[in-house]
Amino acid sequence: MFGSNRKSAQPQPMVNGRPETVIGSNTRFVGTLNAEGNVRIDGAVEGDIEVVGNLIIGETGRVIATIKARNVHVSGAVKGQITALEQLEISPTGKVWGDITTAALHIEPGGLFRGQSSMTTNIEEPLLLEAPRSSESRSSAES
């Protein structure tokens, strides 16, 4: 009756970069949110958010949470710790209060960020960077 040849319905994590999970503007969620794909939040969320894909917080989104995602785009308001594995972007209407860890940070004019940031990198950094020596100081040192 329902067909035995039917393939199991596996949600596609990324369909043209569109979110597969949307929390609407009239929705309030409290708890832990785990998602394999992309997520868009236009409502209110409190708790922990872990997204394997990208997280978009729309202009009406209000989030109080610890966030971990590949990329995070904030157009609404976020209070809490954010870890963006690749990039965190704060739009002109976006507001972030809390500490962030990311490989790349982009804050557009008008965007607000209050907190501390740390940058993750795969490049090994020297413990101490020396200033380049001018040619005059080298020639006087060689004399």
Side-chain angles (χ1 to χ4, degrees):
M1 183 166 145
F2 294 103
S4 58
N5 293 353
R6 197 170 164 196
K7 295 180 183 177
S8 63
Q10 292 287 335
Q12 295 295 326
M14 284 183 122
V15 180
N16 298 326
R18 294 185 192 168
E20 74 173 19
T21 303
V22 176
I23 297 177
S25 60
N26 295 323
T27 304
R28 177 172 158 71
F29 177 86
V30 178
T32 301
L33 173 64
N34 291 308
E36 293 290 321
N38 300 323
V39 175
R40 180 180 177 98
I41 298 173
D42 290 317
V45 175
E46 286 185 47
D48 295 317
I49 301 170
E50 189 165 338
V51 178
V52 174
N54 302 321
L55 174 64
I56 297 170
I57 298 159
E59 285 190 38
T60 59
R62 301 292 177 255
V63 176
I64 299 172
T66 299
I67 297 171
K68 184 174 181 181
R70 180 186 309 143
N71 293 295
V72 179
H73 180 93
V74 179
S75 292
V78 176
K79 183 177 182 182
Q81 182 178 344
I82 300 175
T83 301
L85 300 176
E86 292 178 10
Q87 178 174 313
L88 169 64
E89 182 174 350
I90 302 172
S91 73
T93 59
K95 295 169 182 57
V96 174
W97 294 275
D99 296 341
I100 60 174
T101 303
T102 185
L105 173 63
H106 180 78
I107 304 173
E108 293 184 34
L112 173 75
F113 168 58
R114 295 273 191 266
Q116 294 184 350
S117 65
S118 62
M119 189 172 218
T120 57
T121 180
N122 293 333
I123 301 169
E124 290 188 31
E125 300 175 36
L127 295 177
L128 179 64
L129 293 176
E130 293 182 27
R133 296 181 185 186
S134 67
S135 58
E136 290 177 12
S137 62
R138 271 190 249 150
S139 61
S140 63
E142 293 172 0
S143 311

